[in-house]
Structures are given as C-alpha cells and as structure tokens.
Amino acid sequence: MEGVEHKMISANGLNIHIAEKGKGPLVLFLHGFPKLWYSWRHQIHFMASHGYHAVAPDLRGYGDTTGAPVDDPSKFSVVHIVGDIVALLDVIAPKEKVFVVAHDWGAFVAWHLSLFRPDKVKALVSLSIHYIARNPTEDVAKLMEAAYGEDHYMVRFQKPGDMEAEIANNIGTKTFLKKILSHREPSPFYFPKGTGFNGDSTDSPLPSWLSEEDLNYYSNKYEKTGFTGPINYYRALHSTWELTAPWTSAQVTVPTKFVVGDLDLVYNMPGAKDFIHSGEFQKFVPLLQEVVVMEGVGHFINEEKPDDINKHILSFLQQF
C-alpha cells in the first residue's frame, strides 16, 4: 500500500509487525478476527492525511507478528494481549497517551487496555463490540454454549486442533475466510461439523466492500501462518475470565464512542441491545459520549462503510 511503512518492533517477547503512516498524535488501530492490520487500510490513509500518526499492528498470533507460543492457548488471554499492546506503546509512544480505535477482538482488547491502563489511552472508539462486563459465574464460551448449543462457532473453536483440521481437510483457507467475511446477517454463526457455517453454500459472491485482491491478501497470510493463533483467543476465554476476576464490576474511565451496525451479530445477541441502550453501558463506561447505530450495516463495519467510519473517528478524536 502506497506510503505505508512496515516495521518489526521487539516487545513483550514478541516481534510485533506494525504498519504505520503519518505524523502527529498517535492513533492505534486494533483489528479483530480473522483480520490483520490490513483491515484498517482505509483508516490508515485517512487519518494520516488529517494530521495523525496511524499505527496498526498484527496482534499476537496473527500475520507477520511472531514469537507467540501457539501450542499453548492460555498464552492468548486478554491479559497477555493487553501486555503486548502496553509493551508496544512503551516503544513507539513512551511519553504520551494515545487514541485507540478497535474492532471485534481488537475492541475486546481495547476495552481491557482502557480498564487496566487508562493512563495509556486518551480516548477510545470501539466498533461493533460494546463493553462486555465480566460475568462473575461463567466465562463467555460457556455462556455461548448455554445460549446457542455446541454448534455455535465459539464452542466449536474450543477444542485444540479441531477447527484447524476442519479448515484444512473440508473447507480450505480461502473459502473459510470468504464465508466469515461475507456474513452480514444478525443471526449467529453456527458451524455444524462437516457442513460449513450455517450449512451455507460457498459459491456466493464477495460483498461489495471486499475485493478478490483483499481476500487474497488475507488468504495468503493464513496459508503461511494457519489459524491456531487467532482461534486461541477463543480457547483462552476461560483463562481471561479467571485472570480478570479482580476487575469484576469495575468501570472503564476513558472518553469513548461506540459505533455498531444494526445487522451486527453481536449487537443482536440476547441482552446486547438492552445493555447498550438502557443505561447499563453508561454505568460501566461513565465517559461514554456517544452510541451510533448504523442502519443496514453488518459486523465488518470499518471495511463495509469506511467513509462513514472515518468521519466518526475523526470527529470524535478532534475533540481532544
């Protein structure tokens, strides 16, 4: 991509790959599953052109970031990932608070970065994933199994090696990515063994926001790295639940904006809309300044509607 620099940063025992462009206040972009730094390509150029230093890493286990022990899912808890981000910021922005913009798993990490280390975060824009308060009795994977059953994708992801074998033997890397990235229904992902996501066919066209070139970029990276690292985030949900016990009922105390599509499967999970709109969200995030629900938009919001998301990010960050 034109004008984007790529660097390897040694931090927290990893070699963290970052893509960066521009000068000015630092905006850290954190991607989700199954994305990479590349998912922020539209935002990187836009924010750099408006006087910001845009930085997008590949998270632990993803893309060109190396050094994570993928054979040990417990090393992929949110505490470990936040540790990576803090160590990265200590190298690239040692004396400043930074803006954070995050999506999906990246948003989950960003919420916890803001919870654990508010001294590092000037303001947060969270996309698609609202703050998920820790349930004191069950981890998220157990809650998903209780709500949706054993074919739900989070539950299928729990057994080490199972999903990797399914992808390698029955689906294929490119088809797997295409099905995930093309999904924009409010219903959850089901992945019955041997039948593919929701039993869907795999010959549907790409969504308008995802080109064949984009899909090939993701596919080529995953052909090299495999999916174990990214899927380990789901396998570490119980470790995350155990390690975050001290922050049960704690508040996130950084200025925040939340943007979600009305077709987002997370927004349509049981209880999510009520939590977001009833005032409970504000109780946990007292500096929540705005909630934006975009009509007719799915989960991969920053790629599906990049111009709108760019404007939302810029208008919020310009206040600080």
Side-chain angles (χ1 to χ4, degrees):
M1 291 177 62
E2 184 178 354
V4 176
E5 296 185 42
H6 296 267
K7 295 179 181 178
M8 298 298 290
I9 306 295
S10 179
N12 206 30
L14 306 180
N15 289 315
I16 300 176
H17 166 253
I18 66 169
E20 64 179 344
K21 185 177 182 180
K23 295 182 179 180
L26 194 148
V27 184
L28 183 70
F29 292 97
L30 302 179
H31 66 80
F33 177 86
K35 298 304 189 70
L36 302 164
W37 76 268
Y38 185 83
S39 64
W40 297 110
R41 59 198 179 279
H42 306 294
Q43 287 72 42
I44 290 171
H45 287 298
F46 180 83
M47 295 306 294
S49 70
H50 284 79
Y52 291 88
H53 178 197
V55 175
D58 286 332
L59 297 181
R60 173 182 289 230
Y62 282 87
D64 293 323
T65 289
T66 60
V70 295
D71 58 340
D72 185 354
S74 70
K75 300 300 185 183
F76 288 78
S77 76
V78 77
V79 176
H80 290 84
I81 312 306
V82 169
D84 297 342
I85 300 305
V86 170
L88 174 64
L89 292 176
D90 284 344
V91 174
I92 65 174
K95 296 182 180 180
E96 64 176 302
K97 286 189 174 184
V98 305
F99 295 114
V100 180
V101 180
H103 175 257
D104 188 75
W105 262 107
F108 189 73
V109 172
W111 285 117
H112 285 84
L113 170 66
S114 301
L115 180 66
F116 301 158
R117 294 297 302 271
D119 59 304
K120 293 288 187 180
V121 182
K122 189 179 298 185
L124 167 65
V125 178
S126 180
L127 306 178
S128 296
I129 306 296
H130 57 279
Y131 181 67
I132 299 175
R134 182 183 182 275
N135 185 301
T137 59
E138 293 282 9
D139 65 57
V140 173
K142 294 284 183 60
L143 293 171
M144 292 298 101
E145 185 173 14
Y148 297 116
E150 63 183 13
D151 287 337
H152 187 263
Y153 76 101
M154 284 195 190
V155 183
R156 286 294 315 281
F157 281 2
Q158 293 304 304
K159 184 178 178 181
D162 182 57
M163 187 56 59
E164 294 92 327
E166 184 97 13
I167 296 167
N169 299 328
N170 300 325
I171 304 172
T173 297
K174 191 170 184 178
T175 298
F176 179 75
L177 290 167
K178 179 180 177 181
K179 289 307 301 177
I180 293 177
L181 300 178
S182 298
H183 185 88
R184 64 188 309 274
E185 301 298 322
S187 56
F189 274 141
Y190 289 104
F191 201 0
K193 194 173 183 65
T195 65
F197 277 110
N198 298 345
D200 292 344
S201 64
T202 59
D203 58 358
S204 56
L206 289 174
S208 60
W209 55 265
L210 185 71
S211 70
E212 193 71 27
E213 180 184 3
D214 298 333
L215 182 59
N216 285 338
Y217 183 89
Y218 291 121
S219 297
N220 290 338
K221 290 297 182 183
Y222 277 100
E223 287 287 355
K224 295 176 182 177
T225 65
F227 288 91
T228 299
I231 292 175
N232 277 346
Y233 285 58
Y234 297 91
R235 293 174 182 150
L237 281 168
H238 189 74
S239 294
T240 288
W241 179 76
E242 290 183 327
L243 293 170
T244 55
W247 291 273
T248 302
S249 301
Q251 293 181 321
V252 174
T253 56
V254 303
T256 303
K257 180 174 185 173
F258 175 63
V259 187
V260 67
D262 65 348
L263 299 179
D264 194 301
L265 74 169
V266 179
Y267 182 62
N268 286 278
M269 284 182 175
K273 292 179 184 178
D274 184 60
F275 177 84
I276 291 166
H277 299 295
S278 69
E280 285 299 304
F281 194 3
Q282 191 86 47
K283 290 180 182 178
F284 282 97
V285 189
L287 299 182
L288 178 66
Q289 296 190 11
E290 188 176 6
V291 172
V292 178
V293 181
M294 297 178 62
E295 294 185 6
V297 182
H299 180 67
F300 300 106
I301 191 169
N302 54 308
E303 291 181 277
E304 183 178 345
K305 294 291 183 181
D307 293 341
D308 292 329
I309 293 301
N310 289 345
K311 292 174 183 176
H312 280 301
I313 294 169
L314 183 63
S315 65
F316 183 64
L317 300 192
Q318 283 180 330
Q319 300 177 46
F320 302 95

